[in-house]
Amino acid sequence: GVGLFAGNFSRCSTPRADYPLGHLECVGGYPRLDDGVLVPSAWINPINHFDSFGDAVVTLFRVNTFKYVEILYASMDATPDVNQSPLEDSHRENCLFLVTYLIIGGLFCMNLFV
């Protein structure tokens, strides 16, 4: 997973840098629509990501415990450029890695404990 998705799950905390913009445009502030308060923009990582080996192991453990929906959507939204904002459903083929891992990991765990 690290080779495929390292750095690709990052996104801007505000809609200021939507696709095709990226990390460089995610600066300054953004006024919220409901109350007009200026919220600072930051380039953030989700809780589950593949940026390091340890984070990838935790993320794959979460996938193996069937809490994988947001990770699956993040993998499909990931763009090949690390500093580019994600685009919704731009690479649906990325979910094949997680689905394959889910099937193989589930069978392995079932054989391990049964």
Side-chain angles (χ1 to χ4, degrees):
V2 176
L4 291 173
F5 302 120
N8 290 345
F9 284 12
S10 300
R11 63 183 63 225
C12 191
S13 61
T14 60
R16 183 178 189 93
D18 285 340
Y19 184 84
L21 304 176
H23 183 64
L24 295 177
E25 291 81 17
C26 186
V27 294
Y30 182 81
R32 285 193 297 212
L33 297 177
D34 55 350
D35 57 4
V37 174
L38 191 65
V39 179
S41 297
W43 193 252
I44 57 171
N45 247 350
I47 295 171
N48 298 302
H49 54 85
F50 290 92
D51 288 354
S52 67
F53 180 75
D55 292 327
V57 169
V58 171
T59 302
L60 289 176
F61 177 75
R62 185 169 171 134
V63 168
N64 213 20
T65 57
F66 299 107
K67 298 187 186 299
Y68 60 88
V69 175
E70 65 188 41
I71 301 167
L72 190 68
Y73 284 137
S75 72
M76 290 191 301
D77 296 346
T79 54
D81 186 13
V82 175
N83 292 320
Q84 194 172 32
S85 294
L87 177 63
E88 187 173 343
D89 293 337
S90 63
H91 293 284
R92 291 184 180 189
E93 65 274 4
N94 287 348
C95 73
L96 292 176
F97 169 76
L98 294 171
V99 170
T100 304
Y101 175 78
L102 187 63
I103 292 169
I104 292 172
L107 291 174
F108 175 75
C109 288
M110 185 169 44
N111 284 332
L112 188 65
F113 295 114
V114 175

